[in-house]
Amino acid sequence: ASILWLFPSFFARQLELEGFGAAAVSLQGQWLRSAGGQATFRFNLMDVIPLSLSYQFAWRFDFNRGGLHTLAISVE
């Protein structure tokens, strides 16, 4: 359904939430650890174009690397 017949129709299909973590040891015996989460929102625009919008955040614990943000939009 469109809003006041001015905008194209918009239908929400799915919301996905995901958590993750990873750890490894290098050849020098140093830990490489990270953890984070991702949210993906899938929707249809004008009943024809399937799109997905994703945001991901990961925190890297070692070597003062800090956080990593990723934003993506894709056509399915």
Side-chain angles (χ1 to χ4, degrees):
S2 65
I3 301 170
L4 300 174
W5 299 280
L6 296 175
F7 301 108
S9 60
F10 176 85
F11 291 100
R13 291 189 299 145
Q14 186 175 15
L15 176 64
E16 298 176 9
L17 300 174
E18 178 180 351
F20 58 87
V25 178
S26 69
L27 293 175
Q28 292 81 21
Q30 298 169 323
W31 279 96
L32 305 166
R33 298 169 293 181
S34 66
Q38 178 176 347
T40 303
F41 180 58
R42 299 181 194 279
F43 58 95
N44 285 348
L45 190 61
M46 298 185 295
D47 294 335
V48 179
I49 306 168
L51 296 172
S52 83
L53 179 65
S54 298
Y55 172 73
Q56 181 178 20
F57 176 77
W59 185 261
R60 300 171 290 178
F61 296 101
D62 303 305
F63 302 114
N64 292 326
R65 298 291 300 238
L68 179 66
H69 303 268
T70 305
L71 183 64
I73 187 166
S74 60
V75 178
E76 298 176 349

